[in-house]
Amino acid sequence: MRIAKITAATVTTAALALGLAACGSSEAPSSSPSAAAPASSGPKYAGKTLTFWRLGDTNPAAQKYTDELVAEFEKETGAKVNVEWIPWPQVNDKFTAAAAGGTGPDVTEIGNDQVPLWQSQEALEPITDIVAAGDQAQIPKNLMGLETIDGETYAVPWGGGSRAVLYRADWFKELKIEIPKTWDELVAAAKKIQAKKGSDVDGFAFNGGSDANHLLGALAWTAGGEYAVKEGDKWVGKLADPGFKAGFAQYTGLVTDGLSSKSRLNQNTTEIRTRFSNNKVGMYLTASWDLATIEEESKGKLKGDKLAFFPLPSKDGGEAQSFLGGNDIAVWGTAKEKDAAKEFVKLASGKQWGVKYATDGGLLPVYPEALAALSGDPAQAPFAAAFAKAKAFPADPQWTEANETKAVLQNAARKVIEGKASADDALAAASKELEDILNAS
């Protein structure tokens, strides 16, 4: 998932609620070796002014980080930076207007799964040279699948996110339920919750809304499936292959086996969270940023040791694969000060400032050493383990249309659950539709 449509305030508060261990101190870090050198860059960019778009609503921690980063860049380069905060609901319109009008920032934060879309609109500047050297060369290639297109890189991963199962730890203790290690154990736990807490409670909530593929994708990828693969210059749909079918069966089985109600086939994570806050969900797939809102929605009743996470288990044991979510930083295609903008991206995404961006925002660092350090943190370990082997959706600008506008997989699942089509027929049709969308010019 890109880490989008999540306010920075919520992320930061959730991170504090989990007691996340920051890899850097609260003081502004010194510049990394890959940062611009003051001696050569200062005079060169003196008098230049950059516009930097940060996404979301500001909060004290995010503002402090941004102020410190900007101050360091200005000190090193002599340039000035104007920061504009763009609320998530306005981001798409703002980007669209900037791309159409040839305007926009010099540097922008951007959701990782939005990179292919805006690259296709020639709205992002190639920055392959930045990720090929210095700190950025340490970022694992599997974390850059959405940023690298036709051999060029258009954004640098800045902070990541993965999902795990949020559960009612107090209910598990009360009902003597052990943490599920396999899919069958998860199903059994969900059914026990429903037997004791009522049939109107979702033991494990089915997500059929706009972010449904975060759950479906995890199950399908773990079973060996793929949405589509690139063969030559064409996408070929793989939804009818055995691996994807197996994951799809687990996904739809959440409803057909009675773990989640058929009356809520369209609910997304936000709606599931609200039901969780009102004691109507035992488990669901999400991330740490939901904790602060759950505490608020439950009027302070659900917090602390009443809640916990465990990795989504695979069918036969082990951890399921997670969707590769994250926020990136990029140079806008029509940047007026492209050289200075690249220096800003180099500094911001270097190890020290990059790790600080992630940890201050309750996200996962993209640098292996910092990510590995979280394995000993009970709160972060499930997310760090999932993120280390996370996968991304097809890196195509039309994916958003397939996923959100046309809801290809959500519609296929509803047809199967409602008995309007067999899984074979629904997935064959969906695979063709997905293929047509991704290959549209």
Side-chain angles (χ1 to χ4, degrees):
M1 96 176 162
R2 64 185 183 277
I3 312 302
K5 300 180 181 175
I6 301 160
T7 66
T10 300
V11 171
T12 303
T13 306
L16 294 174
L18 279 172
L20 303 182
C23 296
S25 70
S26 59
E27 298 299 319
S30 59
S31 61
S32 67
S34 63
S40 60
S41 299
K44 182 175 181 180
Y45 298 119
K48 304 290 186 181
T49 300
L50 300 182
T51 298
F52 173 36
W53 282 1
R54 280 220 58 182
L55 309 186
D57 297 314
T58 186
N59 66 86
Q63 188 66 60
K64 182 174 184 290
Y65 169 84
T66 305
D67 289 346
E68 290 174 347
L69 171 63
V70 166
E72 180 70 11
F73 179 75
E74 291 181 343
K75 175 184 174 184
E76 291 190 359
T77 67
K80 297 297 181 183
V81 180
N82 292 330
V83 180
E84 295 182 25
W85 290 84
I86 314 297
W88 282 115
Q90 298 176 21
V91 168
N92 189 62
D93 289 345
K94 193 81 171 177
F95 276 25
T96 299
T103 60
D106 295 283
V107 178
T108 187
E109 190 172 14
I110 183 171
N112 67 345
D113 65 349
Q114 292 296 300
V115 173
L117 171 61
W118 296 109
Q119 183 275 338
S120 74
Q121 303 298 312
E122 299 183 351
L124 300 177
E125 179 75 7
I127 50 174
T128 309
D129 55 330
I130 292 177
V131 300
D135 288 349
Q136 290 79 359
Q138 300 174 35
I139 300 173
K141 299 304 180 187
N142 73 299
L143 302 186
M144 302 187 68
L146 290 164
E147 293 81 2
T148 304
I149 301 167
D150 295 331
E152 292 279 8
T153 301
Y154 293 87
V156 185
W158 209 9
S162 59
R163 285 165 167 73
V165 179
L166 176 60
Y167 70 103
R168 287 292 299 268
D170 54 341
W171 287 3
F172 271 50
K173 182 178 180 180
E174 173 194 341
L175 302 177
K176 297 181 172 54
I177 299 173
E178 297 293 329
I179 300 299
K181 297 294 193 297
T182 68
W183 184 256
D184 287 345
E185 289 177 3
L186 182 145
V187 170
K191 289 184 175 179
K192 189 169 186 178
I193 288 170
Q194 289 177 305
K196 299 297 183 180
K197 297 298 179 179
S199 59
D200 62 330
V201 172
D202 290 335
F204 189 101
F206 175 84
N207 184 335
S210 59
D211 53 354
N213 281 294
H214 295 147
L215 174 56
L216 173 56
L219 298 174
W221 287 324
T222 304
E226 297 285 352
Y227 285 85
V229 297
K230 203 75 172 287
E231 295 183 3
D233 60 351
K234 295 290 185 182
W235 287 99
V236 178
K238 296 294 181 179
L239 305 182
D241 287 3
F244 198 95
K245 284 183 180 179
F248 186 79
Q250 287 178 264
Y251 173 69
T252 55
L254 291 171
V255 180
T256 57
D257 290 344
L259 278 62
S260 193
S261 175
K262 189 179 290 187
S263 66
R264 291 184 286 276
L265 293 183
N266 298 324
Q267 65 182 353
N268 59 28
T269 299
T270 299
E271 293 160 328
I272 294 169
R273 185 206 66 222
T274 298
R275 283 179 48 76
F276 185 95
S277 301
N278 287 280
N279 303 310
K280 295 298 182 182
V281 173
M283 299 176 278
Y284 75 107
L285 191 71
T286 189
S288 61
W289 50 73
D290 271 4
L291 294 180
T293 308
I294 288 169
E295 181 176 348
E296 180 181 349
E297 289 179 339
S298 68
K299 296 180 170 53
K301 295 177 182 177
L302 295 184
K303 60 181 180 180
D305 60 4
K306 290 185 177 181
L307 310 176
F309 287 92
F310 63 84
L312 182 70
S314 67
K315 194 165 183 61
D316 300 319
E319 297 169 1
Q321 285 200 287
S322 175
F323 165 65
L324 175 60
N327 286 345
D328 295 349
I329 185 168
V331 175
W332 195 250
T334 55
K336 296 180 178 63
E337 303 292 346
K338 288 184 179 178
D339 290 342
K342 287 184 177 182
E343 290 296 333
F344 186 87
V345 168
K346 187 186 296 184
L347 175 66
S349 62
K351 185 180 292 185
Q352 293 189 41
W353 285 101
V355 170
K356 184 173 172 60
Y357 166 84
T359 54
D360 281 9
L363 305 178
L364 296 169
V366 298
Y367 286 94
E369 183 179 341
L371 186 63
L374 297 179
S375 62
D377 180 345
Q380 279 287 64
F383 302 104
F387 187 66
K389 57 178 182 179
K391 289 190 66 168
F393 297 131
D396 187 90
Q398 304 299 325
W399 170 255
T400 300
E401 180 181 358
N403 180 39
E404 298 178 21
T405 308
K406 297 291 180 60
V408 174
L409 275 304
Q410 295 92 323
N411 289 333
R414 283 192 281 270
K415 288 177 182 177
V416 172
I417 292 168
E418 293 170 347
K420 296 178 180 177
S422 67
D424 285 350
D425 289 345
L427 286 175
S431 194
K432 179 63 168 60
E433 183 180 6
L434 177 62
E435 200 174 275
D436 290 344
I437 292 171
L438 296 182
N439 288 319
S441 57

